[in-house]
């Protein structure tokens, strides 16, 4: 190979990024960097957080105009100038939406072993999806046997794993998702005790109350907005809220208006914590050990939807936010 197909950011996105914010280009194959590796990308991720990376608003991470779209990926080392990696090694890291990545030592996060799971699992259960779910449910949420746990986007890449981790800890797990088909998947495939369709008729808050008659002890929220508003009335005193995402908020400019929750936090002594998974590297080994054990025992189920070709990356974030994806959304360049 002498060329490299890449996806570059061309503009900031107002709301959910679309094809208009990207361009596909054929470029010269990059050289292997000093201390790094040239990696052939096998799979690249499509993540909800990408919306924030391309936003005009302040975010924990930004991908600038003209840059190759940042994304975690799984790849095979083609050439190495690093003592840590050899040609043929399979690696996980910041490889981007491209066919070949000139990866620095900081870009490559860890080696992967296909004996633990197939390559695509390293972008789902053993990638940032699984690690995010584990950090939120087990490390920060401190899930306990007997808890009632609520998870929004419960059939999604993170939510589906979060629910299974809570269930494996002895909790009763209820989810919220969009569509009767996803309700069925959440209960039959991901082990949820109950799931609710927020697009259904009637009051979502009332449906949450019926599904959680003893209240909610841990709320793992991927949505914010009106969906989260429907959950708050059911939170128990001293409930823990783990804010993982804000998928139900289409734009933060202007700041959306809604119910104020300060009095709920005060009077019910709620604990409400946001987190970024990269801040918790020190517990990743614990997470890997538990997740690998669940996979080996057949106790963790993951769905994958693989888009073939980088041209499909342009509309992939919109596809994800539409809720039409049939599993962890991945691109095969």
């Amino acid at each position: 190979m002498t060329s490299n197909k890449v996806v570059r950011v061309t503009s900031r996105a107002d709301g959910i990024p679309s094809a208009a914010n990207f361009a596909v280009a054929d470029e010269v194959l990059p050289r292997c960097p000093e201390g790094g590796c040239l990696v052939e990308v096998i799979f690249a991720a499509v993540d909800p957080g990408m919306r924030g990376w391309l936003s005009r608003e302040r975010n924990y991470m930004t991908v600038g105009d003209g840059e190759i779209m940042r994304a975690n990926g799984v790849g095979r080392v083609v050439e190495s100038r690093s003592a840590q990696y050899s040609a043929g090694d399979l690696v996980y890291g910041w490889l981007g939406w491209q066919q070949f990545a000139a990866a620095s030592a900081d870009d490559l996060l860890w080696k992967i072993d296909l004996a633990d799971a197939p390559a695509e699992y390293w972008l789902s259960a053993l990638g940032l999806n699984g690690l995010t779910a584990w950090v939120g449910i087990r490390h920060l949420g401190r899930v306990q046997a007997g808890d009632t746990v609520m998870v929004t986007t419960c059939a999604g890449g993170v939510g589906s794993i979060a629910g299974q981790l809570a269930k494996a800890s002895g909790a009763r797990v209820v989810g919220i998702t969009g569509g009767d088909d996803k309700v069925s998947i959440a209960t039959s495939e991901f082990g949820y005790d109950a799931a609710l369709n927020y697009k259904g008729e009637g009051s979502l808050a009332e449906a949450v109350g019926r599904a959680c008659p003893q209240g909610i002890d841990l709320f793992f929220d991927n949505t914010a907005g009106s969906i989260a508003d429907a959950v708050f009335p059911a939170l128990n005193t001293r409930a823990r809220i783990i804010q993982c995402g804000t998928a139900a908020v289409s734009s933060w400019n202007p700041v959306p208006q809604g119910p104020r929750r300060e009095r709920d936090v005060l009077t019910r002594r709620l604990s409400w914590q946001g987190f970024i998974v990269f801040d918790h590297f020190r517990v990743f080994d614990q997470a890997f050990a538990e997740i690998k054990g669940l996979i080996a025992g057949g106790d963790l189920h993951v769905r994958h939807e693989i888009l073939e070709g980088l041209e499909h990356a342009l509309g992939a974030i919109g596809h994800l936010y539409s809720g039409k994806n049939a599993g962890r959304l991945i691109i095969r360049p």
Side-chain angles (χ1 to χ4, degrees):
M1 295 289 292
T2 58
S3 64
N4 184 33
K5 183 174 286 187
V6 306
V7 175
R8 290 192 180 272
V9 176
T10 58
S11 61
R12 302 289 88 201
D14 292 316
I16 298 170
S18 69
N21 301 113
F22 303 102
V24 179
D26 286 306
E27 300 182 355
V28 175
L29 186 72
R31 293 185 177 183
C32 181
E34 181 66 36
C37 300
L38 181 64
V39 180
E40 182 179 10
V41 182
I42 299 171
F43 293 120
V46 182
D47 288 307
M50 290 174 168
R51 183 184 73 169
W53 305 350
L54 297 177
S55 172
R56 299 181 193 277
E57 303 302 310
R58 181 180 178 185
N59 201 271
Y60 67 92
M61 184 185 297
T62 297
V63 184
D65 292 359
E67 293 183 10
I68 293 172
M69 183 56 195
R70 189 171 177 82
N72 278 292
V74 168
R76 180 177 289 103
V77 175
V78 175
E79 181 182 350
S80 176
R81 301 178 70 184
S82 165
Q84 295 178 271
Y85 302 97
S86 302
D89 284 347
L90 292 171
V91 294
Y92 175 97
W94 292 107
L95 303 182
W97 285 357
Q98 57 186 331
Q99 291 176 318
F100 291 88
S104 69
D106 290 338
D107 291 329
L108 300 178
L109 302 180
W110 50 77
K111 292 182 184 180
I112 71 172
D113 189 344
L114 298 187
D116 293 317
E120 60 269 28
Y121 274 68
W122 289 91
L123 283 179
S124 56
L126 290 169
L128 289 186
N129 277 16
L131 293 169
T132 298
W134 192 94
V135 169
I137 290 290
R138 300 279 279 112
H139 180 56
L140 300 177
R142 308 182 308 280
V143 66
Q144 301 174 27
D147 278 349
T148 294
V149 178
M150 171 64 75
V151 179
T152 51
T153 68
C154 67
V158 173
S160 61
I161 299 171
Q164 292 178 81
L165 291 173
K167 189 69 176 176
S169 300
R172 179 175 184 269
V173 188
V174 180
I176 297 176
T177 187
D180 291 338
D181 55 337
K182 291 192 175 183
V183 165
S184 178
I185 291 169
T187 55
S188 65
E189 194 166 327
F190 299 140
Y192 276 82
D193 294 287
L196 308 173
N197 176 10
Y198 72 85
K199 297 179 180 178
E201 296 181 2
S203 164
L204 179 59
E206 292 177 2
V208 170
R210 290 192 296 271
C212 306
Q214 303 302 314
I216 295 167
D217 304 297
L218 173 58
F219 179 25
F220 186 93
D221 185 27
N222 291 297
T223 63
S226 60
I227 297 173
D229 289 338
V231 174
F232 262 81
L235 295 178
N236 287 330
T237 298
R238 295 188 174 84
R240 292 94 68 202
I241 305 160
I242 302 300
Q243 198 69 49
C244 182
T246 60
V249 180
S250 59
S251 175
W252 288 98
N253 185 20
V255 176
Q257 301 301 301
R260 303 301 307 222
R261 293 302 181 189
E262 293 88 343
R263 186 162 179 78
D264 292 316
V265 173
L266 172 64
T267 59
R268 281 185 274 167
R269 287 83 88 194
L270 304 178
S271 172
W272 195 351
Q273 180 173 359
F275 77 103
I276 303 299
V277 70
F278 310 119
D279 295 337
H280 300 277
F281 274 103
R282 70 186 187 280
V283 300
F284 279 12
D285 285 344
Q286 294 173 249
F288 279 134
E290 181 173 347
I291 295 170
K292 286 178 183 179
L294 291 171
I295 292 172
D299 297 318
L300 188 68
H301 304 279
V302 185
R303 282 190 168 209
H304 302 92
E305 179 180 343
I306 299 174
L307 305 178
E308 301 286 348
L310 282 173
E311 62 275 10
H312 293 293
L314 305 187
I317 301 173
H319 180 59
L320 185 67
Y321 272 91
S322 73
K324 296 178 181 177
N325 56 300
R328 171 57 162 139
L329 198 57
I330 297 171
I331 299 163
R332 195 195 319 257

